[in-house]
């Protein structure tokens, strides 16, 4: 990727820097010394992090990598994940502490659950699942809205050693059925429905339909959330309030092996068919608890934490359920959409609960940018002290807007790079240490080692781009792809087999300081007249134009140049339709910011972009549009009508 250097200078022209606030730096959980300590003896460092958990039996060996790439961490150790997330806090006298401030979408529909409440609920649900015939090792699917019972259900499964697979509540019956089938889930936990965009949407019918496509499911446990009518199969369906409410509050958690499967999570499906990623208990919990404490500088006695992700996504697993609860935090859980009943809902919630740490995705930030700062300006968000971002590269403009408008210029922004497969945060600034650069995830956190390498697996010099790799195993790494060890080895470990590196599938660049800029997926890199261009960089150039809110760039086949740059752009609301010159203006802007080689052949102004349920832009679908093909698999798309909107607009010559 030698020619990347000359064409990808634009991002690195970004020279804004943000120092950590002095009081945060002087009192930070993770300091610069942690990098040295971890480098000196990585296994000892991880053993020390493992002490954050309560183990029934201590491990004999930190890492067993004898059968690489199949890792075992903390071998011989035994623990219960639910006990670590709930009971031990009650035993430590924190039973009255609020674990979850739950906010339903309908206004005024709220509930607070303390750690003691959570212990009772999880114990009852664990007893009920056992009654329903769930045994250690059986898989349980969870298909629910963002209500406390979803978390209770996950922890109840963990408590009895039944790996859960949470399927995002917005997925179709087909998507659900294929996941149920893939992991052979015996029980499904669901609800009648949930509230989204101001009305009750149904969930149970999709479970009923999925059951016509696969016969693995024996029981369906249904929470009553909305009270809407549901079809009922007496042989299979069971109300949560019938079996959980009446179950005993006493439940003794069993200690499981550190390598006991905790859950299977299917990846977002941004690039293709989702993969069932298997995470196990000990190492995963260590990774979540350590990173949540370190990267967010968590002070459990005073912080109020809020991660806006859905539990149907890995971020919800690691940074709503396992990390925060293992650390005994108070957190907010919100059921609905950000703009219901009005666009300022999120900011009102931050004000009401005094949220101090907020973690969200670039897609959300860009949609708020589109609406303007007046809406967030109406709420007092002075409680915030740290902001996080995850899911996609954050464009520098979005980073600066987030820090300025939401964080009042006080808050460090931690741009956290990680994947379903990595289980927890890998590359991120540390809020008390790092001088943040907008758009850069900076460097691997203490305990993690990453690099950017060329085709041969050699480390590229600073100022160059290549493939992002993880160079040594880490506790929360995936253990395999469910039921497909070969695919696990092929997908992640064969590209740089000689070096034994984990291939992340993302492209990245090191700047002159050696800091990492994630450039997006390797498959998204374009080749224009022999120059490799990153989608992220051109998108960031477009977003830096004052009229642009969001942009997606793809490479479309071109007879002259091999590939040509095609851009899809959403304008900010205050820009109206942008005026007749807008396309020309934007082409000029990219030309000026990056260079003639990156000038888009085509720019299409669109009302929306196709995104996965977790908010990531699905460029492969846009590539289909740009190359005039029939649009491919849209089952993981958040809103399938978006593709029609885009195609119609383009047919009209927009
Ligand atoms: P699939 O693997 O099924 O195509 P996916 O990769 O989108 O789906 P996830 O595991 O949810 O599924 O997402 C991980 C990916 O998200 C990373 O590989 C990276 O491309 C992107 N990503 C996450 N955080 C960041 C970040 N801070 N900066 C840049 N990219 C990020
Ligand atoms: Mg992926």
């Amino acid at each position: 990727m030698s020619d990347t250097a000359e064409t990808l200078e634009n991002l690195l022209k970004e020279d804004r820097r943000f120092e950590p606030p002095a009081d945060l730096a002087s009192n930070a959980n993770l300091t610069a010394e942690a990098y040295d300590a971890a480098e000196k003896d990585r296994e000892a460092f991880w053993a020390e992090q493992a002490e954050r958990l309560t183990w029934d039996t201590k491990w004999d060996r930190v890492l067993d990598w004898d059968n690489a790439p199949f890792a075992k961490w903390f071998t011989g150790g035994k623990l219960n994940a639910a006990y670590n997330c709930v009971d031990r806090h009650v035993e430590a006298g924190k039973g009255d502490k609020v674990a979850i401030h739950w906010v339903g979408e309908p206004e005024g529909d709220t509930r607070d659950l303390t750690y003691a409440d959570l212990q009772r609920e999880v114990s009852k649900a664990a007893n009920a699942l056992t009654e329903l015939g769930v045994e250690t090792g059986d898989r349980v699917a969870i298909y629910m809205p963002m209500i406390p019972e979803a978390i209770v259900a996950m922890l109840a499964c963990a408590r009895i050693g039944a790996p859960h697979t949470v399927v995002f509540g917005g997925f179709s019956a087909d998507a659900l059925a294929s996941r149920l089938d893939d992991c052979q889930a015996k029980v499904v936990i669901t609800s009648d429905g949930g509230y989204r965009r101001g009305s009750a949407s149904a969930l149970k019918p999709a479970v009923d339909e999925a059951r016509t496509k696969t016969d693995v499911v024996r029981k369906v446990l249904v929470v009553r959330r909305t009270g809407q009518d549901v079809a009922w199969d007496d042989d299979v369906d069971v109300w949560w309030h019938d079996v959980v409410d009446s179950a005993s509050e006493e439940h003794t958690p069993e200690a499981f092996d550190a390598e006991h499967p905790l859950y299977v999570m299917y990846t977002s499906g941004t690039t293709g068919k989702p993969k069932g990623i298997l995470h196990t208990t000990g190492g995963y919990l260590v990774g979540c608890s350590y990173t949540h404490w370190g990267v967010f500088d968590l002070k459990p006695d005073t912080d109020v934490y809020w991660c806006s992700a859905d539990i149907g996504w890995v971020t919800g697993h690691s940074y709503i359920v396992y990390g925060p609860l293992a650390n005994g935090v108070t957190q907010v859980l919100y059921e609905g959409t950000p703009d219901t009943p009005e666009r300022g809902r999120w900011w009102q919630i931050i004000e009401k609960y005094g949220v101090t740490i907020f973690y969200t995705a670039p897609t959300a930030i860009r949609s708020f940018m589109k609406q303007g700062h007046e809406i967030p300006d109406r709420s007092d968000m002075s409680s915030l002290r740290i902001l996080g971002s995850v899911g996609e590269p954050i464009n520098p403009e979005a980073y600066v807007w987030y820090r300025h408008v939401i964080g009042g210029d006080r808050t460090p922004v931690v741009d956290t790079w990680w994947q379903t497969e990595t289980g927890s945060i890998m590359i991120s600034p540390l809020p008390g240490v790092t001088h943040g650069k907008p758009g850069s995830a900076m460097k691997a956190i203490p305990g993690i080692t990453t690099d950017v390498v060329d085709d041969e697996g050699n480390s590229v010099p600073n100022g160059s781009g290549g493939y992002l790799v993880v160079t040594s195993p880490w506790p929360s790494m995936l253990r395999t792809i469910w039921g497909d060890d070969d695919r696990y080895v092929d997908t992640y470990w064969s590209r740089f087999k000689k070096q034994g590196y984990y291939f992340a599938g993302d492209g990245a660049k090191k700047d002159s300081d050696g800091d990492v800029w994630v450039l997006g997926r390797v498959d998204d890199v374009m080749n224009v007249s022999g120059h490799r261009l990153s989608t992220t960089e051109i998108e960031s150039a477009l977003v830096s134009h004052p009229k642009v809110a969001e942009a997606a760039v793809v490479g479309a086949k071109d007879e002259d140049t091999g590939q040509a740059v095609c851009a899809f752009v959403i304008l900010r609301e205050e820009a109206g339709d942008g005026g007749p010159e807008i396309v020309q203006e934007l082409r000029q802007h990219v030309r000026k910011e990056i260079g003639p080689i990156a000038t888009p052949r085509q720019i299409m102004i669109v009302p929306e972009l196709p995104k996965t349920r977790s908010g990531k832009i699905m460029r492969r679908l846009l590539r289909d549009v740009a190359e005039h093909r029939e649009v491919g698999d849209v089952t993981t798309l958040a809103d399938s009508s978006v593709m029609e909107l885009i195609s119609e607009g383009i047919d009209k010559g927009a």
Side-chain angles (χ1 to χ4, degrees):
M1 284 200 160
S2 57
D3 48 8
T4 0
E6 63 186 77
T7 53
L8 293 185
E9 283 311 312
N10 178 55
L11 272 180
L12 310 185
K13 279 189 232 144
E14 171 60 59
D15 55 3
R16 288 169 287 193
R17 299 282 179 277
F18 298 104
E19 280 175 40
D23 52 340
L24 207 163
S26 61
N27 193 20
N29 287 355
L30 268 182
T31 59
E33 286 76 64
Y35 292 107
D36 302 332
E39 202 174 297
K40 212 162 99 208
D41 188 342
R42 267 172 32 82
E43 289 189 22
F45 179 83
W46 282 117
E48 198 183 309
Q49 301 315 319
E51 298 287 356
R52 311 175 173 281
L53 304 181
T54 305
W55 296 79
D56 265 65
T57 310
K58 202 170 159 172
W59 59 89
D60 343 285
R61 202 170 157 191
V62 176
L63 168 65
D64 174 353
W65 192 231
D66 300 348
N67 185 29
F70 297 93
K72 290 189 182 138
W73 280 87
F74 308 109
T75 56
K78 284 188 193 310
L79 75 171
N80 185 289
Y83 172 85
N84 273 278
C85 290
V86 182
D87 305 60
R88 64 172 179 151
H89 306 310
V90 179
E91 288 168 14
K94 291 187 178 172
D96 292 337
K97 179 174 179 175
V98 172
I100 300 170
H101 289 298
W102 177 71
V103 182
E105 192 183 83
E107 272 184 302
D109 190 2
T110 61
R111 236 167 103 191
D112 283 352
L113 278 91
T114 63
Y115 276 95
D117 293 335
L118 210 49
Q119 185 182 34
R120 267 192 302 277
E121 294 304 316
V122 172
S123 298
K124 288 195 292 186
N127 283 320
L129 286 174
T130 305
E131 271 306 295
L132 289 177
V134 179
E135 290 171 18
T136 302
D138 288 344
R139 273 79 61 205
V140 174
I142 298 176
Y143 183 67
M144 287 177 95
M146 292 283 285
I147 56 176
E149 285 81 0
I151 294 180
V152 170
M154 288 166 75
L155 292 170
C157 289
R159 196 172 182 98
I160 62 174
H164 53 71
T165 187
V166 182
V167 179
F168 179 74
F171 275 149
S172 66
D174 278 340
L176 174 61
S178 72
R179 288 161 176 77
L180 293 175
D181 220 34
D182 190 72
C183 72
Q184 299 279 297
K186 191 168 170 185
V187 167
V188 180
I189 308 177
T190 188
S191 71
D192 49 358
Y195 289 95
R196 306 276 306 161
R197 297 186 211 307
S199 57
S201 61
L203 279 175
K204 172 80 166 38
V207 179
D208 299 342
E209 197 190 326
R211 284 209 300 113
T212 66
K213 298 166 196 280
T214 167
D215 54 10
V216 297
V217 176
R218 312 252 185 86
K219 290 284 171 197
V220 177
L221 183 55
V222 189
V223 175
R224 183 179 277 153
R225 160 70 185 127
T226 63
Q228 63 194 281
D229 283 342
V230 288
W232 206 255
D233 178 343
D234 284 327
D235 295 333
V236 176
D237 297 331
V238 192
W239 282 113
W240 175 282
H241 54 257
D242 282 341
V243 295
V244 175
D245 290 2
S246 58
S248 163
E249 290 176 5
E250 303 297 322
H251 185 274
T252 311
E254 186 186 333
F256 297 107
D257 193 273
E259 286 299 335
H260 187 78
L262 182 61
Y263 68 80
V264 178
M265 168 94 255
Y266 291 84
T267 53
S268 304
T270 311
T271 47
K273 186 176 176 283
K275 303 167 277 281
I277 303 300
L278 174 68
H279 283 292
T280 58
T281 309
Y284 173 76
L285 211 55
V286 170
C288 292
S289 154
Y290 158 65
T291 51
H292 182 255
W293 167 87
V295 173
F296 296 105
D297 189 49
L298 182 80
K299 304 288 191 270
D301 293 335
T302 47
D303 275 320
V304 178
Y305 168 82
W306 182 17
C307 168
S308 73
D310 192 279
I311 48 143
W313 184 27
V314 72
T315 304
H317 284 53
S318 300
Y319 298 106
I320 293 178
V321 181
Y322 292 107
L325 295 178
N327 291 340
V329 303
T330 293
Q331 71 178 318
V332 168
L333 183 76
Y334 174 54
E335 177 185 34
T337 43
D339 48 2
T340 308
E342 55 155 300
R343 287 166 155 193
R345 186 77 194 269
W346 275 16
W347 320 126
Q348 292 161 2
I349 292 172
I350 290 178
E351 174 173 334
K352 171 162 183 209
Y353 291 99
V355 171
T356 58
I357 304 172
F358 182 58
Y359 194 25
T360 193
T363 179
I365 299 165
R366 290 186 306 250
S367 74
F368 297 126
M369 268 173 77
K370 181 168 91 180
Q371 297 165 5
H373 63 86
E374 293 80 6
I375 299 161
D377 283 353
R378 277 180 224 138
S379 296
D380 175 2
M381 293 191 275
S382 54
S383 55
L384 287 171
R385 64 182 197 95
I386 290 174
L387 299 175
S389 170
V390 60
E392 287 181 292
I394 180 166
N395 318 100
E397 256 0 273
Y399 175 114
V400 170
W401 189 93
Y402 190 30
R403 194 189 139 93
H404 177 65
V405 177
I406 307 303
D409 283 328
R410 300 175 314 276
T411 54
V413 173
V414 288
D415 173 10
T416 61
W417 177 86
W418 60 293
Q419 311 176 293
T420 309
E421 294 89 340
T422 70
S424 58
I425 295 167
M426 305 293 278
I427 304 180
S428 172
L430 295 182
V433 179
T434 312
H435 290 227
K437 302 175 184 174
S440 171
M442 304 302 285
K443 61 178 179 172
I445 62 168
I448 302 294
T449 56
T450 62
D451 202 353
V452 180
V453 300
D454 63 17
D455 279 310
E456 273 69 56
N458 302 313
S459 185
V460 302
N462 288 354
S464 301
Y467 305 100
L468 185 56
V469 295
V470 185
T471 56
S472 41
W474 66 103
S476 66
M477 63 193 277
L478 77 166
R479 297 303 194 257
T480 190
I481 292 178
W482 184 258
D484 202 344
D485 286 349
D486 292 342
R487 191 175 175 203
Y488 166 69
V489 176
D490 284 354
T491 310
Y492 306 108
W493 301 96
S494 20
R495 185 76 181 73
F496 299 109
K497 191 165 180 228
K498 198 170 87 209
Q499 294 84 358
Y501 292 166
Y502 168 85
F503 173 55
D506 285 338
K509 183 170 172 99
K510 291 185 204 168
D511 67 16
S512 53
D513 301 323
D515 290 323
V516 175
W517 298 68
V518 179
L519 296 173
R521 289 152 207 291
V522 171
D523 329 342
D524 288 337
V525 173
M526 293 170 291
N527 197 324
V528 179
S529 305
H531 294 267
R532 301 177 85 129
L533 296 175
S534 104
T535 52
T536 304
E537 192 190 28
I538 303 173
E539 287 163 9
S540 289
L542 285 163
V543 173
S544 74
H545 187 283
K547 288 183 184 165
V548 175
E550 276 209 77
V553 163
V554 297
K557 277 199 200 69
D558 187 280
E559 282 184 7
D560 302 328
T561 55
Q563 278 189 312
V565 178
C566 290
F568 297 77
V569 168
I570 303 182
L571 298 177
R572 293 197 192 206
E573 289 182 4
E574 73 237 23
D577 68 357
E581 303 301 319
I582 184 72
V583 168
Q584 212 33 43
E585 202 176 308
L586 294 179
R587 295 184 79 224
Q588 279 309 323
H589 182 72
V590 174
R591 195 184 172 89
K592 178 170 88 18
E593 291 288 310
I594 305 180
I597 187 74
T599 313
R601 178 182 77 186
Q602 209 179 354
I603 295 183
M604 288 159 269
I605 308 294
V606 292
E608 268 308 330
L609 290 170
K611 288 180 185 162
T612 62
R613 302 288 181 167
S614 52
K616 295 166 198 279
I617 297 170
M618 283 170 94
R619 291 185 189 74
R620 68 180 166 82
L621 299 180
L622 293 173
R623 216 174 292 135
D624 292 342
V625 172
E627 297 183 342
H628 311 288
R629 254 196 315 274
E630 188 156 341
V631 173
D633 183 7
V634 294
T635 50
T636 56
L637 208 56
D639 176 1
S640 52
S641 64
V642 165
M643 288 316 295
E644 285 153 36
L645 275 178
I646 291 173
S647 309
E648 278 167 23
I650 289 164
D651 290 343
K652 276 191 254 135

